[in-house]
Amino acid sequence: MLNRLLHAVTLFATVLLVAGCSQFVGDNRHNVPLNKAVADRLAEIGSSPTEPMMIRVFKQSSELEVWKRTNSGRYALLKTYPICKWSGALGPKIQEGDYQSPEGFYDVTPALMNPKSAYWLSFNVGFPNKFDQAWGRTGTNLMVHGDCQSVGCFAMTDEGIKELYALVRESFRGGNRSVQLQLLPFRMNDTNMAAHASSPHAPFWANLKQGTDAFDDTLQPPAWDVCERRYVFNRTQPGGVPLDPNGPCPVGSLSTMAAL
């Protein structure tokens, strides 16, 4: 009888221990505070955790940049993270199962955050967006996550996703409704554009460059929308009515674009 009682007590203690570890690993990892180095860097650029933020991803160099709004009202580069792995080649994602990581302009919202990810932590990039849908592109569960494994996603190190997830989380806690995510093939400078001028994706990349140029000129994330199956930036209709992705663009919309 004594042995059974000791066994029961041991089993109960083990269950409590496992449950405690599970709660920390599975339930609290998404609430880990920003580390001091990131907090100090935010203060250095004149920003804070709750200020709006923007993310830029560059496939070719496997880099992810975090930009934060500063006291000046303009955005400054907070930190550049190495991307551990992304899949496919330079160019947009076309269909489910093509193993391509997407390209384009996306908005991460609180609903896209995944604190229970099997890849430590993750957030969905929002693919397919209006542009992707207008072109009939398909794909699901395209994420930025940890664990350094990718099948169409952007995989960070676990340490990297801890910081990145916390930065996005704190921005939402500041009342910001979204984080702009620019998924780009490479740094959109004239040298790289010329080097890839013969690519079948060159017209698409020229369209993306209009958005990145708008940010570079103003250090403000451009408002993006889709009409005539192309991105337009900082163009709105009266009353802020969303554009029809297959309809005509407003007068004065940036650029013309060939079929992709």
Side-chain angles (χ1 to χ4, degrees):
M1 181 63 125
L2 181 59
N3 287 339
R4 288 182 180 179
L5 181 59
L6 289 173
H7 177 73
V9 169
T10 302
L11 180 61
F12 181 68
T14 302
V15 169
L16 284 179
L17 179 61
V18 171
C21 292
S22 175
Q23 183 180 20
F24 176 78
V25 173
D27 297 334
N28 290 337
R29 65 178 70 178
H30 60 293
N31 284 321
V32 173
L34 284 172
N35 64 48
K36 185 177 184 301
V38 174
D40 289 347
R41 174 61 181 160
L42 282 166
E44 180 184 337
I45 65 172
S47 188
S48 71
T50 55
E51 284 292 320
M53 64 180 283
M54 187 193 82
I55 298 171
R56 269 184 164 177
V57 164
F58 302 101
K59 284 182 174 178
Q60 189 174 62
S61 56
S62 294
E63 293 176 297
L64 183 150
E65 294 180 345
V66 172
W67 292 74
K68 291 284 290 186
R69 190 175 70 182
T70 67
N71 296 334
S72 70
R74 307 181 94 190
Y75 281 61
L77 179 62
L78 175 70
K79 186 171 180 177
T80 301
Y81 294 87
I83 297 173
C84 195
K85 188 174 182 181
W86 56 273
S87 60
L90 298 184
K93 183 172 184 65
I94 304 300
Q95 63 185 18
E96 185 86 63
D98 63 6
Y99 298 99
Q100 277 288 110
S101 299
E103 295 175 5
F105 281 71
Y106 299 86
D107 290 316
V108 178
T109 63
L112 297 180
M113 301 289 277
N114 181 16
K116 304 289 188 180
S117 174
Y119 299 95
W120 193 256
L121 290 165
S122 67
F123 55 84
N124 195 304
V125 305
F127 181 96
N129 65 9
K130 285 178 69 173
F131 179 93
D132 304 316
Q133 292 169 24
W135 284 91
R137 296 175 178 173
T138 59
T140 54
N141 299 320
L142 280 302
M143 304 279 184
V144 176
H145 61 66
D147 205 32
C148 198
Q149 300 181 52
S150 174
V151 183
C153 297
F154 296 95
M156 314 296 291
T157 64
D158 288 347
E159 290 302 314
I161 196 63
K162 286 178 192 177
E163 283 190 10
L164 183 57
Y165 189 97
L167 282 163
V168 177
R169 178 198 69 214
E170 292 304 308
S171 181
F172 290 149
R173 286 179 176 173
N176 303 297
R177 294 186 293 179
S178 64
V179 171
Q180 186 171 112
L181 178 60
Q182 300 179 8
L183 302 178
L184 306 168
F186 39 72
R187 295 188 177 275
M188 310 300 280
N189 54 46
D190 292 340
T191 299
N192 284 337
M193 295 299 291
H196 296 279
S198 62
S199 169
H201 304 304
F204 170 59
W205 292 336
N207 189 206
L208 297 185
K209 189 175 186 299
Q210 292 165 358
T212 61
D213 285 351
F215 175 75
D216 292 339
D217 290 343
T218 65
L219 293 181
Q220 298 279 354
W224 65 269
D225 208 333
V226 181
C227 54
E228 298 176 9
R229 297 204 300 173
R230 63 181 173 89
Y231 286 103
V232 290
F233 302 96
N234 297 327
R235 295 292 187 270
T236 58
Q237 295 195 106
V241 177
L243 301 177
D244 178 352
N246 295 296
C249 289
V251 175
S253 292
L254 295 175
S255 95
T256 58
M257 180 181 172
L260 303 184

